[in-house]
Amino acid sequence: MSRSNVTSNYTVLPTHQTKPTTRHPLIPPYPHDYKFILNEPDKCKPEAPFLVLLVTGNSNDYQARHAVRSTWGNESTVPGVSVIRLFLTGIAPRVTDRVQKMLEEESATFHDIIQQDFLDTYNNLTLKTLMGMEWVAKHCPNASYVMKIDIDMFLNVDFLVRNLLMPGIQVRRNYMSGNIVRNAKPQRNIGYKYYAPKEVYPRNEYPPYCSGSSVLSGDLAKKIYDVAQTMQLINMEDCFTGLCMEALKLNLTIPPKGVFNGHHIEYDRCRFSSLITMHQYSPQRLMEIWPDFQSRNVSECGTS
């Protein structure tokens, strides 16, 4: 796809321009002075981590967060490598007070939840992603890498770190990789989940983007957050991240074939040993398969 100047294809607002007084309901308000309700500003102290896991889910995903903490989100899962975990949440749109109280208690126990004062809805996923980029930019700017991942996925952190990111080599810059989608077209049918009318996204094709999860260099988080301040948001967060990369005139890095998967793959211990992400894993299923995955024998699977 042509990497033409994004200003000729997509709305980029000068920082001095007044925001429109009306907007399409699918366009989240941004830039906006969202406030952190729950925050962990010292999570990266005293030493910057090698990898920050930003896990996106809903504020009431208690079981899913427990499962992630107990499995692939365990911060000690890769010996000798500093990994930190954060769950990204907004404000529950229903039974708000009860959910918020439970979330605050959970935060006080685990210190791994960040939350801003926007509603926790599907159409605000872009706000949630940008909250994660803002947090890295402001509180963990020297992190080597950042992984954004949905809470219902399986992540092989050890393979990601040792075989893709490789702590022994120089940290990449302007790097983003994942399950790359190309030539995707906006869904114009109002009955679909990914509906994007021309008022929201006028172009006929999205730029390349990473679907479901992405790994990026720490320096890129601030660049994405900064360029987003000049752009009109869309409600598909992965597509919007692709638009940010286009605005920055940066290309996605093609990963080794098949290691990032945005679909479900039935669990197999040896097969999973050489994959990074798989989709649609419930908390119960994660807890079931994790002990077996941890017991894998290297020589049996023929992987390092």
Side-chain angles (χ1 to χ4, degrees), residues 6-45:
V6 71
T7 55
S8 64
N9 297 309
Y10 190 68
T11 303
V12 179
L13 300 177
T15 54
H16 63 272
Q17 181 173 321
T18 304
K19 288 179 62 182
T21 55
T22 60
R23 61 179 174 83
H24 193 282
L26 290 179
I27 300 175
Y30 205 81
H32 189 79
D33 189 23
Y34 294 107
K35 298 286 195 298
F36 281 98
I37 301 172
L38 296 175
N39 196 3
E40 295 295 333
D42 298 328
K43 187 81 171 175
C44 287
K45 297 177 181 178

Side-chain angles (χ1 to χ4, degrees), residues 62-78:
Y62 310 110
Q63 287 187 330
R65 286 192 292 271
H66 171 70
V68 168
R69 290 186 189 107
S70 303
T71 58
W72 56 261
N74 186 318
E75 293 178 343
S76 302
T77 192
V78 185

Side-chain angles (χ1 to χ4, degrees), residues 7 162 223:
T7 55
R162 307 240 184 249
K223 293 173 184 176

Side-chain angles (χ1 to χ4, degrees), residues 185-213:
K185 300 183 184 306
Q187 177 54 254
R188 304 301 192 192
N189 189 325
I190 195 171
Y192 284 80
K193 179 179 182 180
Y194 304 112
Y195 173 58
K198 284 185 175 292
E199 299 94 320
V200 172
Y201 186 74
R203 293 161 60 180
N204 294 322
E205 189 173 281
Y206 294 116
Y209 64 89
C210 296
S211 175
S213 64

Side-chain angles (χ1 to χ4, degrees), residues 1-299:
M1 178 177 177
S2 171
R3 309 291 298 179
S4 58
N5 190 328
V6 71
T7 55
S8 64
N9 297 309
Y10 190 68
T11 303
V12 179
L13 300 177
T15 54
H16 63 272
Q17 181 173 321
T18 304
K19 288 179 62 182
T21 55
T22 60
R23 61 179 174 83
H24 193 282
L26 290 179
I27 300 175
Y30 205 81
H32 189 79
D33 189 23
Y34 294 107
K35 298 286 195 298
F36 281 98
I37 301 172
L38 296 175
N39 196 3
E40 295 295 333
D42 298 328
K43 187 81 171 175
C44 287
K45 297 177 181 178
E47 196 172 307
F50 180 75
L51 177 63
V52 178
L53 299 177
L54 298 178
V55 187
T56 60
N58 295 323
S59 43
N60 59 356
D61 281 339
Y62 310 110
Q63 287 187 330
R65 286 192 292 271
H66 171 70
V68 168
R69 290 186 189 107
S70 303
T71 58
W72 56 261
N74 186 318
E75 293 178 343
S76 302
T77 192
V78 185
V81 176
S82 175
V83 177
I84 69 165
R85 170 196 68 242
L86 285 170
F87 295 100
L88 311 182
T89 62
I91 297 175
R94 292 177 292 276
V95 291
T96 305
D97 291 344
R98 188 182 73 181
V99 172
Q100 187 63 26
K101 182 179 179 181
M102 295 176 68
L103 194 66
E104 289 171 0
E105 291 174 354
E106 187 181 355
S107 174
T109 300
F110 296 102
H111 297 283
D112 61 359
I113 298 172
I114 61 174
Q115 179 189 40
Q116 283 185 339
D117 55 352
F118 53 79
L119 286 181
D120 209 344
T121 63
Y122 179 80
N123 286 330
N124 281 344
L125 282 173
T126 306
L127 297 179
K128 194 175 291 183
T129 297
L130 290 174
M131 173 180 67
M133 299 299 107
E134 178 183 0
W135 187 89
V136 173
K138 293 181 177 179
H139 301 299
C140 202
N142 295 319
S144 298
Y145 293 99
V146 178
M147 179 83 181
K148 184 192 82 70
I149 183 167
D150 295 340
I151 203 167
D152 62 344
M153 298 187 78
F154 182 100
L155 174 63
N156 185 345
V157 182
D158 186 80
F159 190 87
L160 168 68
V161 168
R162 307 240 184 249
N163 294 77
L164 186 70
L165 303 181
M166 295 180 285
I169 69 171
Q170 185 174 359
V171 175
R172 303 169 181 88
R173 295 184 63 81
N174 296 322
Y175 170 84
M176 178 180 286
S177 190
N179 177 35
I180 299 175
V181 175
R182 300 182 186 277
N183 309 121
K185 300 183 184 306
Q187 177 54 254
R188 304 301 192 192
N189 189 325
I190 195 171
Y192 284 80
K193 179 179 182 180
Y194 304 112
Y195 173 58
K198 284 185 175 292
E199 299 94 320
V200 172
Y201 186 74
R203 293 161 60 180
N204 294 322
E205 189 173 281
Y206 294 116
Y209 64 89
C210 296
S211 175
S213 64
S214 57
V215 60
L216 56 145
S217 52
D219 67 296
L220 189 54
K222 184 179 188 305
K223 293 173 184 176
I224 289 174
Y225 173 67
D226 286 346
V227 78
Q229 311 306 304
T230 70
M231 298 170 63
Q232 176 180 286
L233 266 62
I234 60 173
N235 53 311
M236 279 72 68
E237 83 280 15
D238 292 338
C239 299
F240 181 73
T241 304
L243 285 164
C244 290
M245 291 292 285
E246 183 183 63
L248 292 166
K249 297 183 173 60
L250 297 174
N251 293 310
L252 301 174
T253 298
I254 299 173
K257 186 176 180 180
V259 296
F260 288 99
N261 298 278
H263 58 278
H264 181 77
I265 297 175
E266 194 57 41
Y267 174 69
D268 177 85
R269 182 198 307 163
C270 288
R271 186 179 184 188
F272 273 37
S273 295
S274 56
L275 300 178
I276 295 175
T277 62
M278 285 65 65
H279 210 182
Q280 296 174 343
Y281 271 83
S282 68
Q284 296 79 10
R285 186 61 177 147
L286 273 181
M287 297 292 283
E288 287 171 3
I289 67 177
W290 188 251
D292 182 74
F293 183 71
Q294 288 292 85
S295 71
R296 66 194 184 282
N297 184 290
V298 170
S299 59

